[in-house]
Amino acid sequence: MKLSVIGCGYLGAVHAACMAELGHEVVGIDVDATKVTGLSAAQPGLYEPGLVEILARNLANGRLRFTTDYAAAAEAKVHFLGVGTPQKRGENAADLAYVFAALDSLAPYVAPGALVVGKSTVPVGTAATLETRLHEVQPEAALAWNPEFLREGVAVADTISPDRIVYGLPAGDQAELAQALLDEVYAQALAAGTPLVVADYATAELVKVAANAFLATKISFINAMSEIADTVGADVTKLADAIGYDARIGRKFLNAGVGFGGGCLPKDIRAFRARAEELGLSDTLTFLKEVDTINLRQRERVVQLTEEALGGQLMDRRVAVLGLAFKPESDDIRDSPALDVAVRLHGLGAEVACTDPKAIPNAARRHPQLHYVEDTFETLRDAEAVLLLTEWSQYRELQPEALAEVTSGRIVIDGRNVLDPARWRTAGWTYVGIGRS
Ligand code: UGA
């Protein structure tokens, strides 16, 4: 099929490349000429495992191209909207300016019988507004909502083999056209038995924000338990294991630590609350404010634990921070808890050396005041305390005996609860986890 993907950021670039990989003919369109030039050379400007390879393969075989020219969308049968919906400055609500601008620029090139498919995370009600706007220009085209659930770090696999597909179809007689075209796009995944939920616009929009709100709530729940565990001397990881064996609860997303970050969970729970307030349901999602507060408190808690471990004094103390990205296998530092903790420690006078396998360039651009070191052992040299804040596998596998040869202190703050406390303590370290006292 001929497809266009509007917006070539994280979501759009991955989607365009994966659709080409599945055999479709794809044009990716973005207003940012630098991004288009990079993508056209298989340089996405972000680290996502496997993405460069599928970009290169599909650019070479001619199924994929990128341009700034919306006219290139004219031949496509299905157009995906994958632009960003960031948090508005100084507000909780999502900024829909990019979504509306993309739809308005695209609409003149949408042919009769074609389909526009929204993938961006939007406040419920947006699809209906976009449909009206599309029909003002092209009444013969349909609009559907098809939320994206990809996780950074495994985005390629999540797009090619999703765990579920959701269609939000139009209310009228265009539903059939929309479903037929979407079925054709996702023929391979559907044939493989991927669960499909067919719904209306509002349900499809809500599925996405509800999923992210649930995940965020799960993380803040276990982080709240970790605070209690620290106070009473319990172990939150064992607690998570034990409740996780209950299939109704499940063990995933019950890892206590420095909390959630990234370009999605934090902004999505805020935008969801803002939308509920607009709908006159201001009490309904107030718990998400608490989810947000618990999450942000974890960062402060890690700073406090570091200060306590260093005897109550941070000024001029040498601290090594392992990990800057918001999660492993990503160079994304948006709302990263790890980077935030590093910045706070620096602000309190500590001498912070930090490292990350992929995120140093992004972090250095945002926070040039920090001291960045490429090599892990050089980062650790003479450190009085070591903080593990993003659980890259190379940090999880660090040997306490080897570390002890370069650090000056023997304090490790395990901000992701991924190290074995007994092993580190036996090697002479003061081990501080989150809720594992
Ligand atoms: C999240 C969702 O998981 C995806 O399904 C969704 O498509 C995406 O947002 C989006 O809206 O686009 P992502 O932001 O890539 O994906 O990251 P997650 O894997 O959800 O992790 C989010 C944060 O939670 C990370 O900072 C991670 O370290 C943290 N986390 C995760 C915990 O602190 N504890 C856990 O147990 C799990």
Side-chain angles (χ1 to χ4, degrees), residues 36-258:
V36 164
T37 308
L39 285 166
S40 303
Q43 289 165 2
L46 54 89
Y47 175 69
E48 180 61 43
L51 180 58
V52 169
E53 291 79 355
I54 61 164
L55 278 171
R57 187 160 50 239
N58 291 284
L59 287 162
N61 67 26
R63 283 206 297 264
L64 179 62
R65 69 195 171 95
F66 293 93
T67 175
T68 54
D69 182 7
Y70 271 89
E75 284 187 18
K77 195 82 183 158
V78 178
H79 309 269
F80 287 97
L81 293 180
V83 294
T85 50
Q87 188 175 342
K88 277 187 190 164
R89 194 174 280 272
E91 285 180 50
N92 281 331
D95 184 352
L96 295 178
Y98 303 111
V99 176
F100 288 124
L103 189 276
D104 292 345
S105 305
L106 172 69
Y109 303 105
V110 177
L115 177 67
V116 175
V117 182
K119 286 202 90 61
S120 310
T121 303
V122 292
V124 59
T126 307
T129 310
L130 290 171
E131 184 190 45
T132 308
R133 253 160 120 141
L134 173 67
H135 282 169
E136 280 164 12
V137 183
Q138 181 46 274
E140 304 287 314
L143 182 127
W145 213 258
N146 169 225
E148 180 58 60
F149 306 105
L150 65 78
R151 296 159 298 168
E152 293 188 20
V154 279
V156 170
D158 280 354
T159 308
I160 291 189
S161 316
D163 54 8
R164 79 283 211 191
I165 300 176
V166 177
Y167 298 168
L169 298 181
D173 52 10
Q174 287 184 330
E176 220 172 296
L177 165 76
Q179 170 137 19
L181 288 171
L182 283 167
D183 283 351
E184 208 178 327
V185 170
Y186 294 120
Q188 199 165 311
L190 293 172
T194 308
L196 170 67
V197 178
V198 179
D200 51 89
Y201 285 165
T203 307
E205 291 167 315
L206 279 174
V207 166
K208 175 58 193 269
V209 282
N212 277 1
F214 194 83
L215 293 172
T217 304
K218 234 182 146 180
I219 299 168
S220 279
F221 176 84
I222 203 66
N223 279 332
M225 294 305 108
S226 80
E227 279 192 75
I228 309 241
D230 264 344
T231 304
V232 300
D235 184 336
V236 77
T237 55
K238 288 188 179 156
L239 182 147
D241 289 345
I243 63 171
Y245 285 124
D246 183 334
R248 294 170 302 175
I249 296 172
R251 180 63 177 83
K252 289 181 184 159
F253 272 65
L254 282 183
N255 296 320
V258 69

Side-chain angles (χ1 to χ4, degrees), residues 51 70 93 158 190 257 260 263 266 269 276 279 329 361 422-423:
L51 180 58
Y70 271 89
D158 280 354
L190 293 172
F260 60 80
I269 57 169
L279 294 168
E329 295 304 327
R423 170 136 168 56

